[in-house]
Amino acid sequence: MSRVVLNNVTRNFGAIEAVKDLSMTINDGEFVVLLGPTGAGKTTTLRLIAGLEKPDRGTVEIAGTDVTAMAPTRRDVAFVFQQYSLYPHYTVFDNMAFPLRAPGRNLTPEQIKKRVHEIAELLRIESKLENRATQLSGGEMQRVSIGRALVRQPEIFLMDEPLSSLDAKLREDLRVELKRIQRELNATILYVTHDQLEAMTMADRIGVLSSGKLVQLDEPRKVYETPSNIYAAMRLGSPQINILDASSLKDTDLPANTHSVGVRPEDIVLGSANGTLAKVLTVEHLGVETVILMESEGRNIRAMLGGDAPLAEGDETSFAIREGSAICFDRQGEIIS
Amino acid sequence: MSSSVSSPDKPRTVTGKVFALSDRAIAWLFISPTILLLLAINIFPLVWTIYLSFTNYRANQPGRAIRWVGTRNYERLLGNEDIWGYLQATAHFVLWTMLLQVVIGFGLALLINRNFKGASFWTTVILIPMMLSPAVVGVFWTYIYQPQTGIFSYIVNFFADVGPLDMIGSVDLAPWSIIIVDTWMWTPYIMLLCLAGLRSIPDYLYEAAEIDRANAWQKFFYITLPRVMPFLMLAVLFRGIENFKMFDMVVELTSGGPGSTTEVASINLKREAFEKWRTGYSSAFAIILFVTVFGLSNIYVKALNKVKQ
Ligand SMILES: Nc1ncnc2c1ncn2[C@@H]1O[C@H](COP(=O)(O)OP(=O)(O)OP(=O)(O)O)[C@@H](O)[C@H]1O
Ligand SMILES: [Mg+2]
C-alpha cells in the first residue's frame, strides 16, 4: 500500500475536458471518496491512475515512482469497474482467481483457493463460486467484481461505484465490511460514489469534483460544515442545503461581502416568534426525522426536525436560522471564512 | 364499447371475422404452402432415395422392372475397399481444409481487428476469392498449377529449387492441390465470422485483464477465444458440410485424379449414379453419406451449444 499523487493532471476527449488540472494526494492507508454528479470525471480520474487513460498533461505517481508512461500491467492497482467486467465464460471462482494466476505471482493452487474462499465468504458469494459469471444477478456480479480486486494486495484499490446495484441492507453491510477490511489491511482506496451516506461514513477524506475540477478535498465533517463553495455544499447532506439570498435575511451580523447564505435543513428552527413566515408544502415522515418543504417569499426551504413534527400540508408557520449556523458565500459562490 | 368485446363463440381476428375461420385454421392456412413445398422437394426425394437404395433400379432403363434387393447395395458398399478410399480422401480434404482455414482465418481476423490504416481495404481484398464461382476457381487454378508456366511452380521454385512442380498430376501432391485452392477460396469466410466474434468483445474486458496483470496468452484464452469460439464453430460447421459434399471445384481441377487420389465421395457418387447408372447402388451410397453428415453435424451442434452457453 502506498501514496498516490496526481500532479496537475489534465485529460481531454476532443472538446470535452473530462479532468482539468487535477492535483491530489491519496496518502498511504487512506480512504478517499470522490463525489460528483454524472459526467464530472470521476471514472476518468480512476482510469488515469490505473493507466487505462494517458493524461494530456501532468503526472501520476504511485509509491514514489512516476508511472505516467507505464502500462496498467506494470502499475499494480486493482480496479472495480462500474460495469463489472467479469470474464463471461468462466466461473466465479476462476474470475476471482484470475488476478492471482497472473504471471510472476507464483502462488500454489491451494493458496489461490484459500484466498478466493476467504474473500468470497466475506462478500457472501461462497455458494456462487461454481456459477458462471453470466448466471448471476447484477448485485452478485458486482460483488464478484469487488472480490476480484480484494484477493489482491495492490498499491491502491480503485473502486467505481462498487455498491451501486445492491439492495439497501446488503449495501449497508458491505459498506461496513469494506471499511473494516480497509482498516485491517491498511489499504489505500480511491472510491467513487453518488451515495453521500457512503461518502460520509467511509471516507477519511472526500474529494468533490465538478466538471473535471477538484473543488474541495477534506475530511467529511469539514466538507459538510465548511464547504469551500456552494457547489460542494450542495453535494453533501440530505435533504439538500438551503441557499438563501443574503439580502432577504433579517439578522445582519453577516460579513459585508456576503452574497448568499447556506443553511442546512437541520439548522432551520420552526415556530420561532420573530421568524419569517412560511407555508408548508409537503411533510415527509422518515421515521426518526421529518422533512418539511416550505415556501416563503417565492423560495423553497427545506427543514428537518427530529421526531414527529405536528405540522400538516397547508399550515402556516414561521422559521428562523439557528444562531451561528449560516455558511456565508461571496458573489462567486466561494466561502467567506 | 360493446363492439370491441368479442363473444367467445365467434373468431377473434379480422381475417377470422371475414372468412369465419378459427385461429388454428388460419395458422394452418399460412404454413401449409411451406409444408407442401418441403414435402415435395425435400421429404419425398429423401424417402424415394431410401426406397431406391433397396432396389436394383437403373435410371437409364426406365422400362425395366424394379426388383427389391434388400440390403445387398449396402453390403456391397460397406465391403468395397474403394469406397473407404473415397471416404478417406473426403475426410483428408475436410480435416485439412478446416484446420488450415481456422488457423489462417483466425490469424487474419486478429490482424485485421487491430484496425491499422487500410484495414478495410485489405478486408475487401481478402474477401475476393470467396465471391468467385467454384468452377471458375477450379479452371483458373489449373493454369496457376501448370508445372512449366504456372505461377505456383514459379513461386515455390523461387524459395526452393525443386524443378517444375506438377501439383495436379502427382499422386502425392494432388490431394494438397485441392486443399490449397479451397483454403485460398474459403479462408476469408472463416476470417469474416471470426472478425464478427472479435468485434463483439467489449474493450473493458481487456482493460480488466490488463489491470489484473494478465499476459497476452491469458487474455487470449480467457477473453478472445471463448468469445470467438461460437462464431468459429459455426463457420466450421457450414464449411465442413460444404466441403464434405465438395464437387465442382475438384471436378474442374483434378476430376478426381490422378487415378482416384482426389476422388472425394461426391465425385464417386456422381460417377456411379450418372455414368454407370447404378441408381440403386448410388442411392445407398447417398444415404450413407447423408447419415454420416447428419450424425456428425448433430454431435458437433451439441458441442457448439455447450461452448455457447
Ligand atoms: N472515451 C471517451 N471518449 C469521449 N468522451 C469521454 C470518454 N470517456 C469519458 N468521456 C467524457 O468525459 C466526461 C467525464 O466522464 P466520466 O466517465 O469520468 O464521468 P463520471 O464522473 O464517471 O460519471 P458517472 O457518474 O456517470 O459514471 C463525460 O463528459 C464523458 O462524456
Ligand atoms: Mg463513472
Side-chain angles (χ1 to χ4, degrees), chain A residues 43 82 160-161:
Chain A
T43 302
Q82 206 168 355
D160 204 346
E161 304 184 32

Side-chain angles (χ1 to χ4, degrees), chain B residues 56-78:
Chain B
N56 70 344
Y57 180 64
R58 295 175 80 92
N60 63 341
Q61 300 170 8
R64 210 169 66 128
I66 301 174
R67 194 160 50 85
W68 182 267
V69 295
T71 56
R72 205 182 67 201
N73 284 333
Y74 288 94
E75 281 158 28
R76 270 199 203 159
L77 268 165
L78 297 178

Side-chain angles (χ1 to χ4, degrees), chain A residues 13 16 18 36-45 53 82 160-161 194:
Chain A
F13 295 108
I16 302 170
T38 174
K42 305 181 295 294
T43 302
T44 309
T45 306
E53 302 286 352
Q82 206 168 355
D160 204 346
E161 304 184 32
H194 285 289

Side-chain angles (χ1 to χ4, degrees), chain A residues 89-90, chain B residues 106 110 198 201 206 217-232 307:
Chain A
H89 295 267
Y90 288 85
Chain B
F106 202 163
L110 285 172
L198 287 174
I201 307 176
Y206 290 111
W217 284 112
Q218 282 173 317
K219 281 190 219 168
F220 182 78
F221 283 110
Y222 267 80
I223 302 169
T224 313
L225 197 58
R227 280 285 185 135
V228 175
M229 208 56 180
F231 292 83
L232 190 62
V307 169

